[in-house]
Amino acid sequence: MAMRTLPTISALALGLAPMSPPALASPAAAGPPLPQLEAYAVHESWRQPIEPVRIADNTWHVGTANLGATLVKTADGAVLIDGGMPQAADMLLRNMASLGVGPGELKLILLSQAHADHVGPLAELRRRTGARVAANAESAVLMARGGSDDIHFGDAIVYPPVQVDRLLQDGEVVELGGMRFTVHFMPGHTPGSMAWTWTDRDDGREVRIAYVDSLSAPGYRLLDNPRYPRIVDDYRRSFDVVRALPCDVLLTPHPGSSGRDFADPAASRPMDCAAYADQAERRFDAQLQAERDATR
């Protein structure tokens, strides 16, 4: 429908005296200024770029010193698992380029969880590379909201919304260039938390690699949580899921949680999946007991 331009009618034309804005009173200040908004601030090691670190023949850590981002090269392009903070896109693309992977060669983006410190740059990476994003429904919903209305953090850790191209079921296999990535649902840290397993080679021998989401519950309400009523049951199940994973090499979104130091690999003391789950369950039990004690 064509739009019409309405004539301008002045106050004088209507026979009205022009009006001045009302004078503003100058009351005494009713308190200090409202607080300045601040972006999601994290430890420096989460933002510290490092050179790519080789994990196996085709698997590389390309993230920061203490945030996981794993690149897997295949005959038909590359797969990225997690990306770190929202500001990490340029760094990731540089690290991929140093390994001979151009933007158009990134074909798939997978993830462990939908918090800003792990999927923050995925919208930008998807736009700049054309890669398809695959995730489960729980993660896809949170990513579409850019992390807002998180069941634990509200709107505190938002990021550019991400469109998911492929929805996954538990145990589904995503394949590229002969590499088969199996997803294992492990809800708890987020309702959509996932682990990924695949087989690479390292100097001629097969290596089963597991990229496993966090098992921590940082400040979470565990008892009678109205937004997540089954949270304790989900953690219990996920500890068992992680213990049972095929796991010669364990990688985690926070490398230090599984004993890795990518800034100084010689200082690493890597865990296996069972030890990772056992340690997390002990901490979870202590946190749960402390919450029970506090409610007595």
Side-chain angles (χ1 to χ4, degrees):
M1 181 177 67
M3 297 184 62
R4 294 182 299 155
T5 301
L6 298 178
T8 301
I9 303 177
S10 69
L12 291 175
L14 293 174
L16 302 174
M19 298 180 63
S20 300
L24 296 177
S26 301
L34 297 176
Q36 183 62 273
L37 294 177
E38 295 183 4
Y40 175 38
V42 299
H43 191 273
E44 182 178 309
S45 67
W46 294 17
R47 299 177 286 109
Q48 180 59 56
I50 59 174
E51 296 296 319
V53 177
R54 180 185 176 278
I55 306 299
D57 287 357
N58 300 290
T59 302
W60 296 78
H61 170 79
V62 293
T64 58
N66 205 23
L67 280 181
T70 296
L71 186 75
V72 183
K73 299 168 68 174
T74 84
D76 294 332
V79 178
L80 179 70
I81 308 176
D82 279 353
M85 294 293 292
Q87 59 268 47
D90 284 340
M91 179 207 72
L92 291 168
L93 291 172
R94 285 196 302 271
N95 281 349
M96 286 189 282
S98 73
L99 297 173
V101 177
E105 294 172 288
L106 182 64
K107 302 300 183 183
L108 279 172
I109 299 175
L110 312 177
L111 56 129
S112 60
Q113 55 160 292
H115 281 163
D117 49 337
H118 306 293
V119 299
L122 297 197
E124 182 175 352
L125 289 172
R126 179 178 180 273
R127 184 180 68 251
R128 293 173 64 177
T129 67
R132 290 169 55 82
V133 178
N136 57 17
E138 287 278 9
S139 295
V141 169
L142 187 56
M143 291 165 72
R145 299 198 303 262
S148 65
D149 192 31
D150 182 89
I151 60 175
H152 301 293
F153 303 119
D155 296 338
I157 50 173
V158 295
Y159 51 87
V162 184
Q163 178 180 324
V164 171
D165 302 291
R166 174 175 170 178
L167 290 177
L168 301 169
Q169 299 295 319
D170 192 14
E172 189 170 344
V173 174
V174 178
E175 187 168 357
L176 182 71
M179 285 283 199
R180 295 170 55 85
F181 301 84
T182 303
V183 65
H184 309 262
F185 290 8
M186 46 169 295
H189 186 76
T190 72
S193 287
M194 293 171 280
W196 289 93
T197 58
W198 66 99
T199 300
D200 201 348
R201 300 189 72 82
D202 186 14
D203 296 328
R205 63 183 179 90
E206 284 194 347
V207 179
R208 301 172 303 168
I209 301 176
Y211 187 98
V212 182
D213 193 20
S214 301
L215 287 167
S216 60
Y220 292 0
R221 176 179 175 179
L222 301 177
L223 297 175
D224 302 318
N225 188 323
R227 294 293 304 275
Y228 198 168
R230 67 180 187 278
I231 186 169
V232 173
D233 291 340
D234 276 358
Y235 269 100
R236 295 290 184 211
R237 173 185 173 276
S238 293
F239 295 139
D240 290 338
V241 167
V242 172
R243 289 188 186 99
L245 293 174
C247 182
D248 298 320
V249 173
L250 170 64
L251 304 173
T252 51
H254 294 278
S257 298
S258 53
R260 290 192 177 273
D261 183 347
F262 285 123
D264 182 10
S268 293
R269 298 293 182 269
M271 298 178 182
D272 62 18
C273 287
Y276 179 60
D278 289 347
Q279 174 182 270
E281 188 165 28
R282 288 192 296 270
R283 292 174 176 171
F284 181 84
D285 287 341
Q287 182 176 338
L288 185 60
Q289 187 59 51
E291 189 172 331
R292 287 189 176 121
D293 292 344
T295 59
R296 288 176 180 170

